[in-house]
Amino acid sequence: MPAPVTLCNAGGGSPVLLLCEHASNHIPPEYRDLGLPAAELQRHIAYDIGAAELARRLSARLDAPLLLAGYSRLLIDLNRPLAAPSSIPEISEATVIPGNRGIDAAERARRQAAWFVPFHDCVAALLDARIAAGQRTVVIGVHSFTPVYLGQRRPWHAGILYGEARGFGTALVRALAAEPGLVIGDNEPYRIEAAMDYTVPVHGDARGLDAVLLEVRQDLLGDAAGWDAWADRLARALRQAIPR
C-alpha cells in the first residue's frame, strides 16, 4: 500500500516547496473502487492526470522538495477544507460516487486520519522547519485541468491561481504569457476561495508566504515530451517571478 505522502528531494535548496495533492488515483481494495467502473478512475475525477510526472520533473529542475499524495482525491480531497461538500464528494463533475454517499461521521474521521492529516502535517512540519531556519519559501501546488468541463471548452494552456500573493501570482502569469503562443489564465480556470481551497489559504496566505497553484491543461501532459516541455517552461517562469 502506498504511503499517504511521499517526500522527494527533502534537502533541495530551492525556495520553492512543491505539493501535488492530486498525484494518485489509488483506492485501497476494501473500498471496491467506491462503486465506480475501473475506467472512471482514469479520469480527472480521480486524480490530476500528468501532475505527478510534471511535479517530479519540476522538482529536479529547481532542486525543490516535493510532497506527493498517495491516494485518490475521491477518498478525501487534500485541497479542500474538511467542511466543504467536495471534501468527500458524492458527485464529481457529473459522476455520482456511490461509495461516498451516506457515509457516517466515523468513516469521515477515518479518511481524515488516514490521508488528510498525514499529508498536511508533513507540509506544516516542513514549513515550520524552513521558517525556523530562515529559509525563504514559496508554496507551489502542481495541478492539471480538463480541456472541456461540463461541455465548455477551456482556452487556456495553463493557469495561475492565487489569493493574497497577488504580486507573485501576476508576475508568474506575465512570465508564462511571454512565451510565444500561450494563453495563460489569471485565476482561471478556477479561483482560490477559503471555503473551497486548502493549500493556498492555509499553507500560504495564513502564514504570509507567497503561494499559488499551477494548473496545466491535461492534453498537454499526455507523455514525457509534454511533461518535460512544461517542466522547463514553468521552471523558467518561476525563476523569473520569485522575488530575489
Side-chain angles (χ1 to χ4, degrees):
M1 298 293 284
V5 56
T6 298
L7 173 59
C8 307
N9 194 19
S14 171
V16 171
L17 175 62
L18 295 168
L19 312 181
C20 195
E21 309 97 314
H22 301 152
S24 174
N25 63 350
H26 183 78
I27 295 176
E30 63 265 29
Y31 282 92
R32 300 178 183 273
D33 291 342
L34 297 173
L36 295 167
E40 295 292 330
L41 301 183
Q42 304 307 312
R43 294 177 51 216
H44 178 74
I45 63 170
Y47 72 127
D48 278 7
I49 296 165
E53 293 83 0
L54 173 61
R56 288 183 183 277
R57 285 161 170 77
L58 195 54
S59 170
R61 284 158 174 77
L62 295 172
D63 188 28
L66 164 64
L67 290 166
L68 292 161
Y71 289 80
S72 173
R73 65 193 299 173
L74 290 176
L75 291 162
I76 189 165
D77 194 318
L78 302 184
N79 191 37
R80 300 289 183 270
L82 295 173
S86 53
S87 169
I88 300 176
E90 294 189 9
I91 299 176
S92 185
E93 297 182 14
T95 301
V96 173
I97 314 302
N100 287 348
R101 305 198 83 177
I103 65 172
D104 60 18
E107 175 58 22
R108 289 183 175 275
R110 178 178 183 273
R111 296 190 195 187
Q112 292 168 21
W115 302 304
F116 187 92
V117 171
F119 184 88
H120 289 294
D121 279 358
C122 190
V123 177
L126 275 175
L127 290 173
D128 288 345
R130 291 170 71 94
I131 291 167
Q135 187 173 3
R136 170 156 173 69
T137 299
V138 297
V139 179
I140 307 290
V142 182
H143 293 251
S144 66
F145 66 95
T146 56
V148 178
Y149 179 71
L150 297 179
Q152 297 295 312
R153 184 160 296 280
R154 290 158 152 177
W156 310 282
H157 297 96
I160 306 299
L161 315 184
Y162 54 88
E164 298 298 324
R166 181 169 297 275
F168 176 52
T170 55
L172 194 49
V173 170
R174 285 195 300 271
L176 281 172
E179 299 248 353
L182 292 185
V183 179
I184 304 299
D186 186 338
N187 270 327
E188 297 285 359
Y190 311 105
R191 292 182 180 274
I192 299 295
E193 301 177 28
M196 295 300 294
D197 291 275
Y198 196 89
T199 292
V200 166
V202 172
H203 294 306
D205 294 348
R207 288 177 177 264
L209 300 175
D210 284 338
V212 304
L213 301 187
L214 307 177
E215 293 275 359
V216 180
R217 210 173 65 203
Q218 286 173 4
D219 59 317
L220 306 176
L221 297 176
D223 56 24
W227 306 329
D228 285 332
W230 275 95
D232 289 341
R233 185 175 286 127
L234 289 166
R236 286 194 299 269
L238 283 163
R239 292 188 185 104
Q240 292 177 46
I242 293 172
R244 299 186 185 280

